[in-house]
Amino acid sequence: MEEVEYKDYTQEDATKDGIGYVVSRLSKKVLLNGNVIGKIIIEDNSLRISKAFIDSIKDKDAKTYYQNLNITNSFYLRKIWFDKTFLYSGKLENFFDYTMNNMPTWSLLWCVPNICGKSFIEQLGGFVPPLYPIPNDKIRLFSLDI
């Protein structure tokens, strides 16, 4: 019988994986029968739009949007890794749901799909471009407004 288990992905895990940055306490890993089959690695790095960029914007709604992004509780999704053997089994989606349900509500998860795992981001869905253009047009957002 398959036993799926969700655990914290720790700084010790990151060190073993050769990751040099500090991982968030929100990072998770999923194990199947004791073997790691997936990792969602998050960094406590908020999305910030520079004051110079915001000041250069004429549209009042866009300016308000950028200012709100800067004060939103946001986290940087650095990496998703998942064993391709289980890709379309629903385990990735369940793992992502579990991870998101353990994040603070009214938060924003942001990522650069080509860096963190584009195929996984596309499979999960829900990652959208910002409402107004930002300096890095590759960034995608996932809102946790539960």
Side-chain angles (χ1 to χ4, degrees):
M1 182 171 164
E2 291 185 342
E3 184 179 330
V4 175
E5 192 176 9
Y6 302 114
K7 292 190 171 192
D8 291 339
Y9 182 86
T10 65
Q11 195 62 49
E12 184 178 321
D13 292 324
T15 300
K16 287 178 187 174
D17 287 344
I19 294 174
Y21 53 86
V22 177
V23 299
S24 171
R25 62 177 176 73
L26 300 170
S27 299
K28 302 292 180 200
K29 60 186 174 184
V30 59
L31 293 83
L32 179 65
N33 298 324
N35 298 310
V36 176
I37 64 164
K39 302 169 190 176
I40 293 179
I41 303 169
I42 298 170
E43 186 178 357
D44 292 330
N45 186 359
S46 298
L47 178 62
R48 293 292 177 250
I49 310 299
S50 74
K51 183 178 179 334
F53 178 80
I54 294 171
D55 290 345
S56 74
I57 301 301
K58 303 293 184 235
D59 182 301
K60 184 180 178 186
D61 290 338
K63 191 175 281 213
T64 299
Y65 177 76
Y66 299 135
Q67 291 166 337
N68 286 339
L69 274 180
N70 280 350
I71 61 172
T72 297
N73 193 23
S74 62
F75 302 92
Y76 181 28
L77 174 59
R78 289 292 299 247
K79 187 75 177 166
I80 294 180
W81 174 83
F82 205 78
D83 186 325
K84 292 186 184 344
T85 308
F86 304 101
L87 251 191
Y88 300 105
S89 65
K91 288 179 175 44
L92 172 61
E93 292 81 356
N94 290 344
F95 177 41
F96 185 74
D97 288 346
Y98 172 82
T99 302
M100 296 305 98
N101 286 332
N102 282 283
M103 292 187 69
T105 55
W106 300 104
S107 295
L108 187 69
L109 192 63
W110 65 280
C111 70
V112 178
N114 288 341
I115 295 173
C116 75
K118 185 177 180 181
S119 63
F120 300 128
I121 294 299
E122 289 172 351
Q123 181 174 339
L124 291 167
F127 285 85
V128 297
L131 185 57
Y132 295 95
I134 61 176
N136 184 342
D137 65 352
K138 306 287 189 250
I139 288 177
R140 296 296 174 259
L141 309 174
F142 186 91
S143 180
L144 298 158
D145 56 3
I146 300 167

